[in-house]
Amino acid sequence: MGAARRLATSQAGMIDVHTHAIDPDLADVSARFPGVYPTVQRTSEDTAQIWLDGRMYREIDSRCWSAADRVRDMDAEGVAMQVVSPIPVTLSHSEPADGAAALAEAQNNFLAKLVEDAPGRLAAFGCVPLQSPRRAIAELARCIEDLGFVGVEIGTRVGDRELSDPEFLPFFQAAGELGATVFIHPVDRTLDTRLAKLRLTFGMGMPTETAIAAAGLLVAGVLSAAPNVRICLAHAGGALPSVLPRVAFGQRIVEGVTVDEYMATRQARKLWSDSLTYDINSLRLALTRYGEDHVVLGTDYPFTAMETPAGAVLADVLSQLGRSTHDAIARGNALSLFPDPA
């Protein structure tokens, strides 16, 4: 049974497409390859630390690797299924491709095992060494065809290259051909250092990073050149819903674009996003920009930034926008985002 079919036949309840996981015994690929890659150090049976470049990056606990712990929390909050994805800092898009490929393979193997440990309750976004589009496509195909994943997660840039670089177009086209969803999530290590001084990396850095990457894809025409790809943006696309009209106006006055079909506001209707806005008014805007059928539930489980309880904002959706919109975000739209290949 394909991953998407498992979603469709899962028990009643919400489908959370934005959650993270990591292997507590993740291999140290820097011992074999040049570059700076994350490692995990256990501190107890139920806790661990992610280390990167000689510094402790984050404290984590067993919810990151225990299917039983995840399912316990899911049952408590009415979540029928989670889509697990790598912790973004582990994507390592800026490092040499050999190490990134080894890390991606190891993480994908772990995620496959995690999904197996909770039959019918978990699906997965894998990861790929995007700095080498050829190898990324090969790992993408393994994720979909061999491991049964619903797609892959990528960052918002690849070193100093943008996702809209023509070099990456074959990757997006391959994703479309394979029926894979591409989940775009910002990585905090790629943000403007100015924001750290202002203590705005979370509040401003991540939302603007996602908006820039997504807007770049829209104005470059990537969604037209790869018409079958399904791209889902984390955090409702960050600042993108707010800036889309200005981006489109800029296309007119700077680039001379006159055809509505190519405007960012029109192209954005091809995008998907999660619901993680912490605010009903921000979510309303995302629904307006992408369409009420293109927004899915996302919580950022199991980290501090997660929405608690899962789907908390949906209470306001139910009271203000009605049952059909509530149910679409909570579950129905995910079934359309992850259709089984014909």
Side-chain angles (χ1 to χ4, degrees):
M1 182 186 294
R5 187 73 64 194
R6 292 197 300 271
L7 285 166
T9 58
S10 65
Q11 66 186 55
M14 297 181 287
I15 297 174
D16 184 354
V17 306
H18 183 171
T19 77
H20 298 292
I22 193 169
D23 186 350
D25 302 307
L26 184 67
D28 182 2
V29 300
S30 62
R32 295 184 290 139
F33 300 99
V36 178
Y37 303 97
T39 61
V40 179
Q41 298 180 11
R42 279 188 183 265
T43 52
S44 75
E45 185 66 25
D46 298 321
T47 60
Q49 297 174 338
I50 300 174
W51 282 72
L52 185 64
D53 200 16
R55 296 183 177 87
M56 200 274 286
Y57 172 78
R58 180 175 294 172
E59 302 267 5
I60 56 176
D61 61 46
S62 58
R63 294 173 298 171
C64 285
W65 60 82
S66 168
D69 287 356
R70 299 180 81 97
V71 170
R72 176 200 64 211
D73 290 348
M74 292 163 64
D75 288 344
E77 297 188 352
V79 176
M81 198 165 212
Q82 287 182 347
V83 180
V84 297
S85 59
I87 296 174
V89 75
T90 67
L91 297 175
S92 301
H93 291 336
S94 298
E95 302 305 315
D98 285 347
L103 182 59
E105 180 180 10
Q107 292 212 91
N108 291 335
N109 291 342
F110 164 75
L111 292 174
K113 177 62 167 60
L114 183 64
V115 169
E116 287 180 1
D117 288 344
R121 304 301 301 275
L122 301 177
F125 286 132
C127 52
V128 296
L130 196 54
Q131 53 271 69
S132 171
R134 176 184 60 81
R135 296 171 77 166
I137 291 170
E139 187 64 14
L140 168 68
R142 188 176 81 94
C143 285
I144 303 304
E145 297 175 340
D146 297 342
L147 302 181
F149 291 178
V150 294
V152 293
E153 176 187 66
I154 64 173
T156 53
R157 63 174 92 178
V158 184
D160 60 358
R161 291 171 290 173
E162 301 294 340
L163 297 182
S164 55
D165 189 310
E167 181 179 6
F168 301 120
L169 179 58
F171 168 79
F172 289 110
Q173 291 173 329
E177 292 167 4
L178 288 163
T181 296
V182 178
F183 183 53
I184 299 180
H185 193 299
V187 180
D188 53 13
R189 282 176 60 88
T190 65
L191 307 179
D192 186 344
T193 55
R194 172 191 181 204
L195 297 170
K197 297 175 183 177
L198 294 170
R199 294 179 292 179
L200 289 172
T201 53
F202 178 83
M204 288 293 293
M206 288 194 157
T208 53
E209 182 69 15
T210 306
I212 291 168
L217 292 172
L218 297 177
V219 301
V222 171
L223 298 183
S224 294
N228 295 321
V229 70
R230 293 188 298 276
I231 293 175
C232 183
L233 305 176
H235 316 131
L240 184 66
S242 295
V243 300
L244 268 172
R246 186 179 181 91
V247 173
F249 194 73
Q251 288 179 281
R252 289 187 187 277
I253 65 174
V254 177
E255 301 175 37
V257 177
T258 58
V259 180
D260 283 347
E261 178 185 351
Y262 301 129
M263 290 296 175
T265 43
R266 181 71 66 86
Q267 289 288 306
R269 305 288 289 185
K270 301 176 182 179
L271 293 171
W272 298 69
S273 87
D274 71 16
S275 61
L276 191 54
T277 59
Y278 313 108
D279 171 66
I280 182 60
N281 291 322
S282 297
L283 181 56
R284 277 178 176 270
L285 186 55
L287 292 166
T288 298
R289 299 297 189 221
Y290 310 126
E292 292 193 358
D293 57 344
H294 273 215
V295 177
V296 293
L297 177 67
T299 67
D300 223 341
Y301 176 97
F303 298 132
T304 305
M306 69 179 176
E307 180 183 63
T308 305
V313 73
L314 295 183
D316 289 329
V317 171
L318 181 61
S319 63
Q320 298 183 30
L321 301 178
R323 170 62 67 180
S324 63
T325 301
H326 170 281
D327 292 353
I329 297 171
R331 181 182 177 90
N333 290 344
L335 304 181
S336 299
L337 177 60
F338 306 121
D340 265 329

